[in-house]
């Protein structure tokens, strides 16, 4: 998450203007008007500075170093020019320590333009950070802020300093701030920033933020590997109850992101524990077809043997359950029927029963709306799916958020 800046290209307007007029003493006598400090240079210093600048432009470090070392400033402005040239030479040589020293010499002069001071104080902070002087880096960033420089790069640098000091709790608010500011600017958030924020949210046990950050990341990269990483990492750490875990396995499968024996086995076991025997059977068969499970794989072979007869009974019982749900005084039976249809992949029927369950009430509305939204999405009704998922609250909010991301991606693909 390190901030990289082009030190050699930093805007030093007054120095650049000076270089432009060191060409001849005649030009100096015309007293051109430039922004910044008064230009007061002797002819001798001007000629020496011109020679040093020519060597810098030619990237002849040896010659430039010798000529810059021979400069003998006799006033404040000449000291500023000499320090600026030492800064440029150090930048060409990638000598961070020398850059920082040259900046200090520039700060000692009164010729440093006020307009450049805020940015250069930030640069001083960055250079101190690079050489491991974190106390000075922080002090320079504070100074830059008082002068009006408070860019995203400065805030991220503060986060890096806190991390270098092994203070992730101090770093996290800075990372959160830069992500929020980047979003507000309409610019994409670099994935490295999001990954850093995810790691910090994990460490803090903030699963709401972890889920949101993963969804933000999926909005930028939504390949199968990204989906698998997001869903597996989220559910392994968030300690979700079984029904919530099951819906993330379902989402992983919907994205074609089932990549290992473990994925198929865990999904099948979750479905079986929830009483969805046909779904458990289907996912084992799918895993075998994909070559991720084999008939000799003991856990899933035993599971398949167990759920196969139960799956037949499960399907046979559905018509009677649906009839009972119609006359029930609350929506519990309709919700159970809807969940069964959902597990079978019969999404239009599931939609009908979820709506009945919500109408009758007496149920977990978060769960019903979440699965209704998913069923609508899987049925192809993406606008209503997203509207329904947006209504979800409580423990099912994160699950609805992940499925909303999926629905949005499907919407974009369809458009």
């Amino acid at each position: 998450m390190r901030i990289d800046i082009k030190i050699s290209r930093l805007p030093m307007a007054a120095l650049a203007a000076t270089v432009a007029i060191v060409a001849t003493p005649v030009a100096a006598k015309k007293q051109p008007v430039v922004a910044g400090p008064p230009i007061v240079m002797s002819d001798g210093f001007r000629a020496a500075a011109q020679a040093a600048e020519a060597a810098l432009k030619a990237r002849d470090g040896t010659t430039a170093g010798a000529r810059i070392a021979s400069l003998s400033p006799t006033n404040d402005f000449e000291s500023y020019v000499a320090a600026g040239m030492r800064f440029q030479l150090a930048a060409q040589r990638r000598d961070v320590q020398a850059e920082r020293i040259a900046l200090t010499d520039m700060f000692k002069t009164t010729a440093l333009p006020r307009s450049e001071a805020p940015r250069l104080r930030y640069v001083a902070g960055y250079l101190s950070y690079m050489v491991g002087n974190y106390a000075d880096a922080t002090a320079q960033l504070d100074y830059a802020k008082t002068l009006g420089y408070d860019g995203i790069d400065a805030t991220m640098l503060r986060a890096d300093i806190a991390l270098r000091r092994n203070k992730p709790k101090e770093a996290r608010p800075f990372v959160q701030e830069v992500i929020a500011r980047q979003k507000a600017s309409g610019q994409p958030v670099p994935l490295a920033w999001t990954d850093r924020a995810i790691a910090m949210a994990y460490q803090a046990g903030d699963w709401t933020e972890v889920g949101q950050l993963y969804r933000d990341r999926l909005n930028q990269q939504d390949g199968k590997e990204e989906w698998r990483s997001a869903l597996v990492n989220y559910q392994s750490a968030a300690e979700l109850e079984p029904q919530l875990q099951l819906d993330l396995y379902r989402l992983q499968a919907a994205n074609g992101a089932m990549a290992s024996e473990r994925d198929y086995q865990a999904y099948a076991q979750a479905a079986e524990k929830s009483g969805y025997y046909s779904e458990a059977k289907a996912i084992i068969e799918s895993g075998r077809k994909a070559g991720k499970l084999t008939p000799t794989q003991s856990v899933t072979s035993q599971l398949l043997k167990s759920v196969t007869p139960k799956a037949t009974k499960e399907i046979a019982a559905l018509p009677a359950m649906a009839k009972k749900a119609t006359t029930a005084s609350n929506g519990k039976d309709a919700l159970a029927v809807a969940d069964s249809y959902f597990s079978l992949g019969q999404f239009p029927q599931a939609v009908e029963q979820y709506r009945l369950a919500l109408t009758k009430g007496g149920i977990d509305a978060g769960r019903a709306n979440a699965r209704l939204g998913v069923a609508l999405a899987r049925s192809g009704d993406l606008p209503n799916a997203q509207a329904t998922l947006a209504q979800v609250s409580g423990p099912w909010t994160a699950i609805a958020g992940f499925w909303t991301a999926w629905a949005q991606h499907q919407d974009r693909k369809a458009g």
Side-chain angles (χ1 to χ4, degrees):
M1 196 173 61
R2 209 179 78 183
I3 305 297
D4 291 321
I5 56 177
K6 301 292 186 181
I7 297 294
S8 60
R9 297 181 184 176
L10 289 170
M12 292 186 285
L15 182 59
T18 299
V19 171
I21 66 168
V22 298
T24 64
V26 174
K29 292 176 182 178
K30 294 181 180 179
Q31 297 294 325
V33 178
V34 297
I39 297 174
V40 181
M41 287 189 291
S42 67
D43 290 346
F45 183 89
R46 186 186 303 275
Q50 180 188 7
E53 177 64 16
L56 284 171
K57 286 184 177 180
R59 303 193 74 82
D60 182 352
T62 301
T63 302
R67 289 175 176 172
I68 292 171
S70 70
L71 293 175
S72 299
T74 59
N75 61 48
D76 199 57
F77 189 82
E78 290 178 350
S79 295
Y80 166 69
V81 172
M85 287 186 167
R86 288 196 299 275
F87 182 91
Q88 292 183 52
L89 178 62
Q92 287 187 7
R93 290 175 171 174
R94 301 183 183 278
D95 186 339
V96 177
Q97 186 71 55
E99 289 179 81
R100 182 65 187 88
I101 293 171
L103 262 187
T104 296
D105 291 340
M106 292 174 70
F107 292 146
K108 290 177 180 178
T109 72
T110 59
L112 179 72
R114 290 183 180 180
S115 61
E116 295 194 22
R119 171 70 174 171
L120 290 180
R121 285 291 177 180
Y122 158 72
V123 173
Y126 175 82
L127 295 173
S128 290
Y129 159 82
M130 291 293 288
V131 299
N133 189 346
Y134 304 131
D136 183 69
T138 301
Q140 295 298 328
L141 292 175
D142 288 342
Y143 198 172
K145 190 171 184 178
T146 63
L147 295 176
Y149 189 86
D150 189 27
I152 286 178
D153 49 2
T155 305
M156 187 60 87
L157 184 55
R158 289 180 185 273
D160 277 346
I161 291 169
L163 289 173
R164 290 286 184 92
R165 286 174 155 174
N166 197 29
K167 296 181 178 181
K169 289 183 179 179
E170 290 184 12
R172 189 180 174 210
F174 293 127
V175 176
Q176 291 172 321
E177 179 185 340
V178 296
I179 289 176
R181 289 172 64 178
Q182 190 79 353
K183 286 182 178 179
S185 72
Q187 299 297 313
V189 177
L191 293 178
W193 295 9
T194 304
D195 290 340
R196 175 65 69 180
I198 288 171
M200 291 177 171
Y202 258 111
Q203 190 171 19
D206 188 341
W207 309 126
T208 298
E209 184 172 2
V210 169
Q212 183 59 59
L213 288 166
Y214 267 127
R215 293 192 293 274
D216 290 346
R217 199 183 195 287
L218 288 167
N219 281 329
Q220 290 184 258
Q221 286 192 354
D222 65 339
K224 294 178 182 180
E225 292 183 3
E226 283 76 23
W227 273 104
R228 183 179 186 276
S229 177
L231 297 174
V232 170
N233 289 338
Y234 177 75
Q235 69 169 299
S236 66
E239 299 182 356
L240 303 173
E241 61 100 349
Q243 289 291 325
L244 299 175
Q245 283 189 334
L246 179 58
D247 279 26
L248 291 182
Y249 286 126
R250 288 166 167 169
L251 178 54
Q252 189 177 337
N255 278 289
M258 305 289 286
S260 68
E261 175 187 301
R262 177 191 174 281
D263 291 344
Y264 285 97
Q265 181 177 305
Y267 181 0
Q269 289 175 324
E272 187 271 339
K273 287 179 181 178
S274 296
Y276 305 130
Y277 307 115
S278 294
E279 185 174 9
K281 179 175 181 288
I283 198 62
I284 293 172
E285 292 171 344
S286 176
R288 288 182 174 181
K289 184 177 180 180
K292 303 301 180 181
L293 298 176
T294 66
T296 58
Q297 208 274 334
S298 61
V299 173
T300 49
S301 293
Q302 293 174 10
L303 186 59
L304 181 61
K305 183 178 179 180
S306 171
V307 299
T308 297
K310 295 177 182 178
T312 302
K313 294 180 180 179
E314 177 188 12
I315 295 172
L318 262 177
M321 290 175 60
K323 184 177 180 180
K324 179 182 176 184
T326 303
T327 58
S329 60
N330 59 48
K332 293 181 180 179
D333 290 339
L335 180 60
V337 172
D339 284 343
S340 293
Y341 278 128
F342 189 106
S343 73
L344 294 169
Q346 297 181 21
F347 299 114
Q349 295 91 329
V351 167
E352 181 182 349
Q353 292 297 323
Y354 283 127
R355 284 174 170 162
L356 176 62
L358 287 164
T359 300
K360 287 178 173 289
I363 59 169
D364 181 348
R367 171 175 166 174
N369 273 314
R371 287 185 170 165
L372 171 58
V374 175
L376 286 166
R378 298 303 303 272
S379 300
D381 187 354
L382 297 173
N384 281 324
Q386 293 176 64
T388 302
L389 290 168
Q391 300 176 29
V392 177
S393 59
W396 285 84
T397 302
I399 308 305
F402 278 114
W403 275 101
T404 296
W406 182 84
Q408 290 171 340
H409 295 165
Q410 301 307 306
D411 212 358
R412 287 197 291 269
K413 291 175 184 177

